[in-house]
Coordinates of all heavy atoms in Angstrom, one line a residue:
M1 N -35.0 35.7 -103.0 CA -34.7 36.3 -104.2 C -36.0 37.0 -104.7 O -37.0 36.4 -104.8 CB -34.2 35.3 -105.2 CG -33.9 36.0 -106.6 SD -33.0 34.8 -107.6 CE -34.0 34.6 -108.9
S2 N -35.9 38.4 -104.9 CA -37.2 39.1 -105.3 C -37.3 39.0 -106.8 O -36.3 39.1 -107.6 CB -37.1 40.5 -104.8 OG -36.1 41.2 -105.5
E3 N -38.5 38.9 -107.2 CA -38.8 38.8 -108.7 C -39.0 40.3 -109.2 O -39.6 41.1 -108.6 CB -40.1 38.0 -108.9 CG -40.0 36.6 -108.6 CD -39.4 35.8 -109.6 OE1 -39.5 36.1 -110.8 OE2 -38.7 34.8 -109.3
Q4 N -38.5 40.5 -110.4 CA -38.7 41.8 -111.0 C -40.1 41.8 -111.7 O -40.6 40.8 -112.0 CB -37.6 42.1 -112.0 CG -37.8 41.4 -113.3 CD -36.7 41.7 -114.3 OE1 -35.6 42.1 -114.0 NE2 -37.0 41.6 -115.6
S5 N -40.6 43.0 -111.9 CA -41.9 43.1 -112.6 C -41.7 42.6 -114.0 O -40.6 42.8 -114.6 CB -42.4 44.5 -112.6 OG -42.6 45.0 -111.3
P6 N -42.7 42.0 -114.6 CA -42.6 41.6 -116.0 C -42.2 42.8 -116.9 O -42.7 43.9 -116.7 CB -44.0 41.1 -116.4 CG -44.6 40.7 -115.1 CD -44.0 41.7 -114.1
M7 N -41.3 42.5 -117.8 CA -40.9 43.5 -118.8 C -41.9 43.6 -119.9 O -42.4 42.6 -120.3 CB -39.5 43.1 -119.3 CG -38.7 44.1 -120.0 SD -37.0 43.4 -120.4 CE -36.2 43.5 -118.8
T8 N -42.0 44.8 -120.5 CA -42.9 45.0 -121.6 C -42.2 44.3 -122.8 O -40.9 44.2 -122.9 CB -43.2 46.4 -122.0 OG1 -41.9 47.1 -122.4 CG2 -43.8 47.2 -120.8
E9 N -43.0 43.9 -123.8 CA -42.5 43.3 -125.0 C -41.5 44.3 -125.7 O -40.4 43.9 -126.1 CB -43.6 42.9 -125.9 CG -43.1 42.2 -127.2 CD -44.3 41.7 -128.0 OE1 -45.3 42.5 -128.1 OE2 -44.2 40.7 -128.6
A10 N -41.8 45.6 -125.7 CA -41.0 46.6 -126.3 C -39.6 46.6 -125.6 O -38.6 46.6 -126.3 CB -41.7 47.9 -126.3
A11 N -39.6 46.7 -124.3 CA -38.4 46.8 -123.6 C -37.5 45.5 -123.8 O -36.3 45.6 -124.0 CB -38.6 46.9 -122.1
Y12 N -38.2 44.4 -123.8 CA -37.4 43.1 -124.0 C -36.7 43.1 -125.3 O -35.5 42.8 -125.4 CB -38.4 41.9 -123.9 CG -37.8 40.6 -124.0 CD1 -37.1 40.0 -123.0 CD2 -37.9 39.9 -125.2 CE1 -36.6 38.7 -123.1 CE2 -37.4 38.6 -125.3 CZ -36.7 38.1 -124.3 OH -36.1 36.8 -124.4
Y13 N -37.4 43.5 -126.4 CA -36.8 43.4 -127.7 C -35.8 44.6 -127.9 O -34.8 44.4 -128.6 CB -37.9 43.5 -128.8 CG -38.5 42.1 -129.1 CD1 -39.6 41.7 -128.5 CD2 -37.8 41.3 -129.9 CE1 -40.1 40.4 -128.8 CE2 -38.2 40.0 -130.2 CZ -39.4 39.5 -129.6 OH -39.9 38.3 -129.9
I14 N -36.0 45.7 -127.3 CA -35.0 46.7 -127.4 C -33.7 46.3 -126.7 O -32.6 46.4 -127.3 CB -35.5 48.0 -126.7 CG1 -36.5 48.7 -127.6 CG2 -34.3 49.0 -126.4 CD1 -37.3 49.9 -126.9
L15 N -33.8 45.6 -125.5 CA -32.6 45.1 -124.9 C -31.9 44.0 -125.7 O -30.7 43.9 -125.8 CB -32.9 44.6 -123.5 CG -33.2 45.7 -122.5 CD1 -33.5 45.1 -121.1 CD2 -32.0 46.7 -122.3
L16 N -32.8 43.1 -126.3 CA -32.2 42.1 -127.2 C -31.5 42.7 -128.4 O -30.3 42.3 -128.7 CB -33.3 41.2 -127.8 CG -33.8 40.0 -126.9 CD1 -34.9 39.3 -127.7 CD2 -32.6 39.1 -126.6
A17 N -32.1 43.8 -128.9 CA -31.5 44.4 -130.1 C -30.1 45.1 -129.7 O -29.2 45.1 -130.5 CB -32.4 45.5 -130.7
L18 N -30.1 45.6 -128.5 CA -28.9 46.3 -128.0 C -27.7 45.4 -127.5 O -26.8 45.9 -127.0 CB -29.2 47.4 -126.9 CG -29.9 48.6 -127.5 CD1 -30.3 49.5 -126.4 CD2 -29.0 49.3 -128.5
L19 N -28.0 44.1 -127.7 CA -26.8 43.2 -127.4 C -25.7 43.6 -128.4 O -24.5 43.3 -128.2 CB -27.2 41.7 -127.5 CG -28.1 41.3 -126.3 CD1 -28.6 39.9 -126.6 CD2 -27.3 41.3 -125.0
K20 N -26.1 44.2 -129.5 CA -25.2 44.8 -130.5 C -25.5 46.3 -130.4 O -26.6 46.7 -130.9 CB -25.4 44.3 -131.9 CG -25.1 42.8 -132.1 CD -25.3 42.5 -133.5 CE -25.1 40.9 -133.7 NZ -25.4 40.6 -135.1
P21 N -24.7 47.2 -129.9 CA -25.0 48.6 -129.8 C -25.4 49.2 -131.2 O -25.0 48.7 -132.2 CB -23.7 49.2 -129.4 CG -22.9 48.1 -128.7 CD -23.3 46.8 -129.4
G22 N -26.3 50.2 -131.1 CA -26.8 50.8 -132.3 C -27.7 52.0 -132.1 O -27.9 52.4 -131.0
H23 N -28.1 52.5 -133.2 CA -29.0 53.7 -133.2 C -30.4 53.3 -133.4 O -30.8 52.1 -133.8 CB -28.5 54.7 -134.3 CG -28.4 54.1 -135.7 ND1 -29.6 54.0 -136.4 CD2 -27.4 53.6 -136.4 CE1 -29.2 53.5 -137.6 NE2 -27.9 53.2 -137.5
G24 N -31.3 54.3 -133.3 CA -32.8 54.0 -133.3 C -33.3 53.3 -134.5 O -33.9 52.3 -134.4
Y25 N -33.0 53.8 -135.7 CA -33.4 53.2 -137.0 C -32.9 51.7 -137.1 O -33.7 50.8 -137.4 CB -33.1 54.0 -138.2 CG -33.6 53.4 -139.5 CD1 -35.0 53.4 -139.7 CD2 -32.7 52.8 -140.4 CE1 -35.4 52.8 -140.9 CE2 -33.2 52.3 -141.5 CZ -34.5 52.2 -141.8 OH -35.0 51.6 -143.0
G26 N -31.7 51.6 -136.7 CA -31.1 50.2 -136.8 C -31.8 49.3 -135.8 O -31.9 48.1 -136.1
M27 N -32.1 49.8 -134.6 CA -32.8 49.0 -133.6 C -34.2 48.6 -134.1 O -34.6 47.4 -133.9 CB -33.0 49.8 -132.3 CG -31.8 49.6 -131.4 SD -32.2 50.4 -129.8 CE -31.6 52.1 -130.2
M28 N -34.9 49.5 -134.8 CA -36.2 49.2 -135.3 C -36.1 48.0 -136.3 O -36.9 47.1 -136.3 CB -36.9 50.4 -136.0 CG -37.4 51.4 -134.9 SD -38.4 52.7 -135.6 CE -37.1 53.8 -136.4
R29 N -35.1 48.1 -137.2 CA -34.9 47.0 -138.2 C -34.5 45.7 -137.5 O -35.0 44.6 -137.8 CB -33.7 47.4 -139.1 CG -34.2 48.4 -140.2 CD -33.2 48.5 -141.3 NE -31.8 48.2 -140.9 CZ -30.8 49.2 -140.9 NH1 -31.0 50.4 -141.3 NH2 -29.6 48.9 -140.5
R30 N -33.6 45.8 -136.5 CA -33.1 44.6 -135.8 C -34.3 43.9 -135.0 O -34.4 42.7 -134.9 CB -32.0 45.0 -134.8 CG -31.4 43.8 -134.1 CD -30.0 43.7 -134.2 NE -29.4 42.7 -133.3 CZ -29.3 41.4 -133.5 NH1 -29.8 40.9 -134.6 NH2 -28.8 40.6 -132.6
I31 N -35.2 44.7 -134.4 CA -36.3 44.2 -133.7 C -37.2 43.5 -134.6 O -37.7 42.4 -134.3 CB -37.1 45.3 -132.9 CG1 -36.2 45.8 -131.7 CG2 -38.4 44.9 -132.4 CD1 -36.6 47.1 -131.1
K32 N -37.5 44.0 -135.8 CA -38.3 43.3 -136.8 C -37.7 42.0 -137.2 O -38.3 41.0 -137.3 CB -38.5 44.2 -138.0 CG -39.5 43.6 -139.0 CD -39.7 44.6 -140.1 CE -40.7 44.1 -141.1 NZ -41.0 45.0 -142.2
E33 N -36.4 42.0 -137.3 CA -35.6 40.8 -137.7 C -35.7 39.8 -136.6 O -36.0 38.6 -136.8 CB -34.2 41.2 -138.0 CG -33.3 40.0 -138.3 CD -31.8 40.5 -138.4 OE1 -31.5 41.4 -139.2 OE2 -31.0 40.0 -137.6
L34 N -35.4 40.2 -135.3 CA -35.4 39.3 -134.2 C -36.8 38.7 -133.9 O -36.9 37.5 -133.5 CB -35.0 40.0 -132.9 CG -33.5 40.4 -132.8 CD1 -33.3 41.4 -131.6 CD2 -32.6 39.2 -132.6
S35 N -37.9 39.4 -134.2 CA -39.2 38.9 -134.0 C -39.8 38.2 -135.3 O -41.0 37.9 -135.3 CB -40.1 40.0 -133.5 OG -40.4 40.9 -134.6
A36 N -38.9 38.0 -136.2 CA -39.4 37.4 -137.5 C -40.5 38.2 -138.1 O -41.5 37.6 -138.7 CB -39.7 35.9 -137.3
G37 N -40.5 39.5 -138.0 CA -41.5 40.3 -138.6 C -42.7 40.5 -137.8 O -43.6 41.3 -138.2
R38 N -42.8 39.9 -136.7 CA -44.0 39.9 -135.9 C -44.2 41.3 -135.2 O -45.3 41.8 -135.0 CB -44.0 38.8 -134.8 CG -45.3 38.7 -134.0 CD -45.1 37.7 -132.9 NE -44.0 37.9 -132.0 CZ -44.0 38.8 -131.0 NH1 -45.0 39.5 -130.9 NH2 -42.9 38.9 -130.3
L39 N -43.1 41.9 -134.9 CA -43.1 43.2 -134.1 C -42.4 44.3 -135.0 O -41.2 44.2 -135.3 CB -42.4 43.0 -132.8 CG -42.4 44.2 -131.9 CD1 -43.8 44.6 -131.5 CD2 -41.6 43.9 -130.6
E40 N -43.2 45.3 -135.3 CA -42.7 46.5 -136.0 C -42.8 47.6 -135.0 O -43.9 48.1 -134.8 CB -43.4 46.8 -137.3 CG -43.0 45.8 -138.4 CD -43.5 46.2 -139.7 OE1 -43.2 47.3 -140.1 OE2 -44.3 45.4 -140.3
M41 N -41.7 48.1 -134.5 CA -41.8 49.2 -133.5 C -41.6 50.5 -134.1 O -40.7 50.7 -134.9 CB -40.7 49.0 -132.4 CG -40.8 49.8 -131.2 SD -39.7 49.4 -129.9 CE -40.1 47.7 -129.6
G42 N -42.5 51.4 -133.8 CA -42.5 52.8 -134.4 C -41.6 53.6 -133.5 O -41.2 53.3 -132.4
P43 N -41.2 54.8 -134.1 CA -40.2 55.7 -133.4 C -40.8 56.2 -132.1 O -40.0 56.4 -131.1 CB -40.0 56.8 -134.4 CG -40.9 56.6 -135.5 CD -41.5 55.3 -135.5
G44 N -42.1 56.5 -132.0 CA -42.6 57.0 -130.8 C -42.5 56.1 -129.6 O -42.0 56.4 -128.5
T45 N -42.8 54.8 -129.9 CA -42.6 53.7 -128.9 C -41.2 53.6 -128.5 O -40.8 53.5 -127.4 CB -43.2 52.4 -129.3 OG1 -44.6 52.6 -129.6 CG2 -43.1 51.3 -128.3
L46 N -40.3 53.4 -129.6 CA -38.9 53.2 -129.4 C -38.3 54.3 -128.5 O -37.6 53.9 -127.5 CB -38.2 53.1 -130.7 CG -36.7 52.9 -130.6 CD1 -36.4 51.5 -130.2 CD2 -36.0 53.2 -131.9
Y47 N -38.4 55.5 -128.9 CA -37.7 56.6 -128.2 C -38.3 56.8 -126.8 O -37.6 57.2 -125.9 CB -37.7 57.8 -129.1 CG -36.7 57.6 -130.2 CD1 -37.2 57.5 -131.5 CD2 -35.3 57.6 -130.0 CE1 -36.3 57.2 -132.6 CE2 -34.5 57.4 -131.0 CZ -35.0 57.2 -132.3 OH -34.1 57.0 -133.4
G48 N -39.6 56.6 -126.6 CA -40.1 56.7 -125.3 C -39.5 55.6 -124.3 O -39.2 55.9 -123.2
V49 N -39.4 54.4 -124.8 CA -38.8 53.3 -124.0 C -37.4 53.5 -123.8 O -36.8 53.3 -122.7 CB -39.2 51.9 -124.6 CG1 -38.5 50.8 -123.8 CG2 -40.7 51.7 -124.7
L50 N -36.7 54.0 -124.8 CA -35.2 54.3 -124.7 C -35.0 55.3 -123.6 O -34.1 55.2 -122.8 CB -34.6 54.7 -126.0 CG -34.4 53.7 -127.1 CD1 -34.0 54.4 -128.4 CD2 -33.4 52.6 -126.7
S51 N -35.8 56.4 -123.6 CA -35.6 57.4 -122.6 C -35.8 56.9 -121.2 O -35.0 57.1 -120.3 CB -36.6 58.5 -122.9 OG -36.6 59.5 -121.9
R52 N -36.9 56.1 -121.0 CA -37.1 55.5 -119.7 C -36.0 54.5 -119.3 O -35.5 54.5 -118.2 CB -38.5 54.7 -119.7 CG -38.8 54.1 -118.3 CD -40.1 53.3 -118.4 NE -40.2 52.3 -119.4 CZ -39.7 51.1 -119.3 NH1 -39.0 50.7 -118.3 NH2 -39.8 50.2 -120.3
M53 N -35.5 53.7 -120.2 CA -34.5 52.7 -119.9 C -33.1 53.4 -119.6 O -32.4 52.9 -118.8 CB -34.3 51.7 -121.0 CG -35.6 50.8 -121.2 SD -35.4 49.8 -122.7 CE -34.7 48.4 -122.0
N54 N -32.9 54.5 -120.3 CA -31.7 55.3 -120.0 C -31.7 55.8 -118.6 O -30.8 55.7 -117.8 CB -31.5 56.4 -121.0 CG -30.2 57.0 -121.0 OD1 -29.1 56.4 -120.6 ND2 -30.2 58.3 -121.3
R55 N -32.9 56.4 -118.2 CA -33.1 56.9 -116.8 C -32.9 55.8 -115.8 O -32.4 56.0 -114.7 CB -34.4 57.5 -116.6 CG -34.6 58.9 -117.2 CD -35.8 59.6 -116.7 NE -37.0 58.8 -116.8 CZ -37.8 58.7 -117.9 NH1 -37.5 59.4 -119.0 NH2 -38.9 58.0 -117.9
E56 N -33.3 54.6 -116.1 CA -33.3 53.4 -115.2 C -31.9 52.8 -115.2 O -31.6 51.9 -114.4 CB -34.3 52.4 -115.5 CG -35.7 52.9 -115.3 CD -36.8 52.0 -115.8 OE1 -36.5 50.9 -116.4 OE2 -38.0 52.2 -115.5
G57 N -31.0 53.2 -116.1 CA -29.6 52.6 -116.1 C -29.6 51.3 -116.8 O -28.6 50.6 -116.7
L58 N -30.6 51.0 -117.6 CA -30.5 49.7 -118.4 C -29.8 49.8 -119.7 O -29.2 48.9 -120.2 CB -31.9 49.2 -118.6 CG -32.8 48.9 -117.4 CD1 -34.2 48.5 -117.8 CD2 -32.2 47.9 -116.5
I59 N -29.7 51.0 -120.2 CA -29.0 51.3 -121.4 C -28.2 52.6 -121.2 O -28.4 53.3 -120.2 CB -29.9 51.5 -122.7 CG1 -30.8 52.7 -122.5 CG2 -30.7 50.2 -122.9 CD1 -31.6 53.0 -123.8
T60 N -27.2 52.9 -122.0 CA -26.5 54.1 -122.0 C -26.3 54.7 -123.4 O -26.3 53.9 -124.4 CB -25.1 53.9 -121.3 OG1 -24.5 55.1 -121.0 CG2 -24.2 53.0 -122.1
L61 N -26.1 56.0 -123.4 CA -25.8 56.6 -124.7 C -24.4 56.4 -125.0 O -23.5 56.8 -124.2 CB -26.1 58.1 -124.6 CG -25.9 59.0 -125.8 CD1 -26.8 58.5 -126.9 CD2 -26.2 60.4 -125.5
A62 N -24.1 55.6 -126.1 CA -22.7 55.2 -126.4 C -21.9 56.2 -127.2 O -20.8 56.1 -127.4 CB -22.7 53.8 -127.0
G63 N -22.7 57.1 -127.8 CA -22.0 58.1 -128.7 C -23.0 58.7 -129.7 O -24.2 58.3 -129.7
E64 N -22.6 59.7 -130.4 CA -23.5 60.4 -131.3 C -22.7 60.6 -132.6 O -21.5 60.9 -132.6 CB -24.0 61.8 -130.8 CG -24.9 61.7 -129.6 CD -25.4 63.0 -129.1 OE1 -26.0 63.7 -130.0 OE2 -25.3 63.3 -127.9
E65 N -23.4 60.4 -133.7 CA -22.9 60.6 -135.0 C -23.9 61.6 -135.7 O -24.9 61.1 -136.2 CB -22.8 59.3 -135.8 CG -21.8 58.3 -135.2 CD -21.9 57.0 -135.9 OE1 -22.4 56.9 -137.1 OE2 -21.5 56.0 -135.3
G66 N -23.7 62.8 -135.7 CA -24.6 63.8 -136.3 C -25.9 63.8 -135.4 O -25.8 63.9 -134.2
R67 N -27.0 63.5 -136.0 CA -28.3 63.4 -135.3 C -28.5 62.0 -134.7 O -29.4 61.8 -133.9 CB -29.4 63.8 -136.2 CG -29.4 65.2 -136.6 CD -30.6 65.6 -137.4 NE -31.8 65.2 -136.9 CZ -33.0 65.2 -137.5 NH1 -33.1 65.6 -138.7 NH2 -34.0 64.8 -136.9
R68 N -27.7 61.1 -135.1 CA -27.9 59.7 -134.7 C -27.3 59.5 -133.3 O -26.1 59.7 -133.1 CB -27.3 58.7 -135.6 CG -28.1 58.5 -136.9 CD -27.5 57.3 -137.7 NE -28.4 57.1 -138.8 CZ -28.2 56.2 -139.7 NH1 -27.0 55.5 -139.7 NH2 -29.0 56.0 -140.7
K69 N -28.1 59.0 -132.4 CA -27.6 58.6 -131.1 C -27.4 57.1 -131.0 O -28.3 56.4 -131.4 CB -28.6 59.1 -130.0 CG -28.7 60.6 -129.9 CD -29.6 61.0 -128.8 CE -29.6 62.5 -128.7 NZ -30.6 63.0 -127.6
N70 N -26.3 56.7 -130.6 CA -26.0 55.2 -130.5 C -26.1 54.8 -129.0 O -25.6 55.5 -128.1 CB -24.6 54.9 -131.0 CG -24.6 55.0 -132.5 OD1 -25.3 54.3 -133.2 ND2 -23.7 55.9 -133.0
Y71 N -26.9 53.7 -128.8 CA -27.1 53.2 -127.5 C -26.5 51.8 -127.3 O -26.2 51.1 -128.2 CB -28.6 53.1 -127.2 CG -29.3 54.4 -127.3 CD1 -29.9 54.9 -128.5 CD2 -29.5 55.2 -126.1 CE1 -30.5 56.1 -128.5 CE2 -30.2 56.3 -126.2 CZ -30.7 56.8 -127.4 OH -31.3 58.0 -127.4
A72 N -26.2 51.5 -126.0 CA -25.6 50.2 -125.7 C -26.3 49.7 -124.4 O -26.7 50.5 -123.6 CB -24.1 50.3 -125.5
I73 N -26.4 48.4 -124.2 CA -27.0 47.8 -123.0 C -25.9 48.0 -121.9 O -24.7 47.8 -122.2 CB -27.4 46.4 -123.3 CG1 -28.2 45.8 -122.2 CG2 -26.2 45.5 -123.6 CD1 -28.9 44.5 -122.5
T74 N -26.4 48.2 -120.7 CA -25.4 48.2 -119.6 C -25.4 46.9 -118.9 O -26.2 46.0 -119.2 CB -25.9 49.3 -118.5 OG1 -27.2 48.9 -118.0 CG2 -25.9 50.7 -119.1
E75 N -24.6 46.7 -117.9 CA -24.6 45.5 -117.1 C -25.9 45.3 -116.4 O -26.4 44.1 -116.4 CB -23.4 45.4 -116.1 CG -23.0 44.0 -115.6 CD -22.8 43.0 -116.7 OE1 -22.1 43.4 -117.7 OE2 -23.3 41.9 -116.6
A76 N -26.5 46.4 -115.9 CA -27.8 46.2 -115.3 C -28.9 45.8 -116.3 O -29.8 45.1 -116.0 CB -28.2 47.6 -114.6
G77 N -28.7 46.3 -117.5 CA -29.7 46.0 -118.6 C -29.6 44.5 -118.9 O -30.5 43.8 -119.1
R78 N -28.3 44.1 -119.0 CA -28.1 42.6 -119.3 C -28.6 41.7 -118.2 O -29.3 40.7 -118.5 CB -26.6 42.4 -119.5 CG -26.2 41.0 -120.0 CD -24.7 40.9 -120.2 NE -24.3 41.7 -121.3 CZ -24.3 41.4 -122.6 NH1 -24.8 40.2 -122.9 NH2 -23.8 42.2 -123.5
T79 N -28.5 42.1 -117.0 CA -29.0 41.4 -115.8 C -30.5 41.3 -115.9 O -31.1 40.3 -115.7 CB -28.5 42.0 -114.5 OG1 -27.1 41.9 -114.5 CG2 -29.1 41.3 -113.3
A80 N -31.1 42.5 -116.2 CA -32.6 42.5 -116.3 C -33.1 41.7 -117.5 O -34.1 41.0 -117.4 CB -33.0 44.0 -116.4
L81 N -32.4 41.7 -118.6 CA -32.8 40.9 -119.8 C -32.7 39.4 -119.4 O -33.6 38.6 -119.8 CB -31.9 41.3 -120.9 CG -32.2 40.5 -122.2 CD1 -33.6 40.8 -122.8 CD2 -31.1 40.9 -123.3
L82 N -31.6 39.0 -118.8 CA -31.5 37.6 -118.5 C -32.5 37.2 -117.4 O -33.1 36.1 -117.6 CB -30.1 37.3 -117.9 CG -29.0 37.3 -118.9 CD1 -27.6 37.3 -118.2 CD2 -29.1 36.2 -119.9
A83 N -32.9 38.0 -116.5 CA -33.9 37.7 -115.5 C -35.3 37.5 -116.2 O -36.0 36.6 -115.9 CB -34.0 38.8 -114.4
E84 N -35.6 38.4 -117.2 CA -36.8 38.4 -117.9 C -36.9 37.1 -118.8 O -37.9 36.4 -118.9 CB -37.1 39.6 -118.8 CG -38.3 39.6 -119.6 CD -39.6 39.6 -118.7 OE1 -39.5 39.7 -117.5 OE2 -40.7 39.5 -119.4
Y85 N -35.8 36.8 -119.4 CA -35.7 35.6 -120.2 C -35.9 34.3 -119.3 O -36.7 33.4 -119.8 CB -34.3 35.5 -120.8 CG -34.0 34.2 -121.7 CD1 -34.8 34.0 -122.8 CD2 -33.1 33.3 -121.3 CE1 -34.6 32.8 -123.6 CE2 -32.9 32.1 -122.0 CZ -33.6 31.9 -123.2 OH -33.4 30.7 -123.9
G86 N -35.4 34.3 -118.2 CA -35.6 33.2 -117.2 C -37.1 33.1 -116.8 O -37.7 32.0 -116.8
R87 N -37.7 34.3 -116.6 CA -39.1 34.3 -116.2 C -40.0 33.8 -117.4 O -40.9 33.0 -117.1 CB -39.5 35.8 -115.9 CG -40.9 35.9 -115.3 CD -41.3 37.4 -115.2 NE -41.6 38.0 -116.5 CZ -42.8 37.8 -117.1 NH1 -43.8 37.1 -116.6 NH2 -43.0 38.4 -118.3
L88 N -39.7 34.2 -118.6 CA -40.4 33.7 -119.7 C -40.3 32.2 -119.9 O -41.2 31.5 -120.3 CB -40.0 34.5 -121.0 CG -40.4 36.0 -121.0 CD1 -39.7 36.7 -122.2 CD2 -41.9 36.2 -121.0
K89 N -39.1 31.7 -119.8 CA -38.8 30.3 -119.9 C -39.7 29.5 -118.8 O -40.2 28.5 -119.1 CB -37.3 30.0 -119.7 CG -36.6 30.2 -120.9 CD -35.1 29.9 -120.9 CE -34.5 29.1 -119.8 NZ -33.1 28.8 -119.9
R90 N -39.8 30.0 -117.6 CA -40.6 29.4 -116.6 C -42.1 29.4 -116.9 O -42.7 28.4 -116.8 CB -40.3 30.0 -115.2 CG -39.0 29.7 -114.6 CD -38.8 30.2 -113.2 NE -39.0 31.7 -113.0 CZ -38.1 32.6 -113.3 NH1 -36.8 32.2 -113.7 NH2 -38.3 33.9 -113.1
L91 N -42.5 30.5 -117.5 CA -43.9 30.5 -118.0 C -44.2 29.5 -119.0 O -45.2 28.8 -119.0 CB -44.2 31.9 -118.5 CG -44.4 33.0 -117.6 CD1 -44.6 34.4 -118.3 CD2 -45.5 32.8 -116.6
V92 N -43.3 29.4 -120.0 CA -43.4 28.4 -121.1 C -43.4 27.0 -120.5 O -44.2 26.1 -120.9 CB -42.4 28.6 -122.2 CG1 -42.4 27.4 -123.2 CG2 -42.6 29.9 -122.9
A93 N -42.5 26.7 -119.6 CA -42.4 25.4 -119.0 C -43.7 25.0 -118.2 O -44.2 23.9 -118.3 CB -41.2 25.3 -118.0
D94 N -44.2 26.0 -117.5 CA -45.5 25.8 -116.8 C -46.6 25.5 -117.8 O -47.5 24.7 -117.5 CB -45.8 27.0 -115.9 CG -44.9 27.2 -114.8 OD1 -44.0 26.3 -114.5 OD2 -44.9 28.3 -114.2
G95 N -46.6 26.1 -118.9 CA -47.6 26.0 -119.9 C -47.5 24.6 -120.6 O -48.5 24.3 -121.4
K96 N -46.5 23.9 -120.5 CA -46.4 22.6 -121.1 C -47.6 21.7 -120.7 O -48.0 20.7 -121.4 CB -45.1 21.8 -120.7 CG -43.8 22.5 -121.2 CD -43.7 22.1 -122.7 CE -42.3 22.7 -123.2 NZ -42.2 22.7 -124.5
L97 N -48.2 22.0 -119.6 CA -49.4 21.3 -119.2 C -50.5 21.3 -120.3 O -51.3 20.4 -120.4 CB -49.9 21.9 -117.9 CG -51.2 21.4 -117.3 CD1 -51.0 20.0 -116.8 CD2 -51.7 22.3 -116.2
L98 N -50.5 22.3 -121.1 CA -51.5 22.5 -122.2 C -51.2 21.4 -123.2 O -52.2 21.1 -124.0 CB -51.4 23.9 -122.7 CG -51.9 25.0 -121.8 CD1 -51.5 26.3 -122.4 CD2 -53.3 24.9 -121.5
E99 N -50.0 20.9 -123.4 CA -49.7 19.9 -124.4 C -50.0 18.5 -124.0 O -49.9 17.6 -124.8 CB -48.2 20.1 -124.8 CG -47.9 21.5 -125.3 CD -46.5 21.7 -125.7 OE1 -45.7 20.7 -125.6 OE2 -46.1 22.8 -126.0
V100 N -50.3 18.3 -122.8 CA -50.5 16.9 -122.2 C -52.0 16.6 -122.7 O -52.9 17.2 -122.4 CB -50.4 16.9 -120.7 CG1 -50.7 15.5 -120.2 CG2 -49.0 17.3 -120.3
E101 N -52.1 15.4 -123.3 CA -53.4 14.9 -123.7 C -54.0 14.1 -122.5 O -53.3 13.4 -121.9 CB -53.3 14.0 -124.9 CG -52.8 14.7 -126.2 CD -52.8 13.8 -127.4 OE1 -53.0 12.6 -127.3 OE2 -52.5 14.3 -128.4
E102 N -55.2 14.3 -122.4 CA -55.9 13.5 -121.2 C -56.5 12.2 -121.7 O -56.8 12.0 -122.8 CB -57.0 14.4 -120.6 CG -56.3 15.6 -120.0 CD -57.4 16.4 -119.2 OE1 -58.3 15.8 -118.7 OE2 -57.2 17.6 -119.1

C-alpha cells in the first residue's frame, strides 16, 4: 500500500469543512470553527487551494448562486481525507513516547 504525501493543513481543513458542501466565505467560518479559532484562512489561500483540489478531483463545483460558487467533497477527496486522518493518528500514537516518564 503506497502512502500519500502529507496533506497541507489548509487542504485538510478545507476537506473537513466540505463534509458539508458550501461556498468560500462559509468555508472560512467553518474552518475557524473546526479549529477552535486556531486557523483563520484568508481568501487568497482558500481559493488557491480550492482551485488545485478541483483540478485534482478532490472537490467539485456543486453549483453557483450569483457570484457564490458552492463546492462539495468528492469520493476521491473523502478517501484522501480519511488517509490523512489515519496518517495523523499514527503520528500522534508514535508521539506517545514523549508522555512516558523515565
Side-chain angles (χ1 to χ4, degrees):
M1 180 168 121
S2 69
E3 294 281 326
Q4 73 178 32
S5 297
M7 193 176 283
T8 65
E9 185 175 35
Y12 182 77
Y13 275 97
I14 288 170
L15 289 177
L16 274 179
L18 285 176
L19 290 173
K20 294 181 182 178
H23 56 81
Y25 181 69
M27 274 186 270
M28 288 188 282
R29 284 194 327 247
R30 182 127 169 85
I31 288 166
K32 186 174 180 179
E33 174 188 305
L34 289 168
S35 68
R38 186 183 57 76
L39 182 62
E40 288 191 55
M41 193 172 300
T45 300
L46 178 73
Y47 288 106
V49 176
L50 285 173
S51 177
R52 180 181 54 81
M53 294 172 94
N54 191 31
R55 281 192 312 271
E56 293 173 353
L58 300 176
I59 64 170
T60 188
L61 186 59
E64 295 184 51
E65 299 170 21
R67 291 183 51 191
R68 285 188 172 173
K69 293 181 179 181
N70 289 301
Y71 296 90
I73 192 169
T74 63
E75 197 56 44
R78 186 176 296 275
T79 299
L81 180 60
L82 287 170
E84 180 65 3
Y85 178 66
R87 188 188 74 79
L88 293 170
K89 283 183 9 179
R90 289 187 300 278
L91 287 175
V92 170
D94 293 346
K96 293 285 185 189
L97 177 66
L98 296 169
E99 297 176 8
V100 176
E101 293 182 358
E102 294 188 32

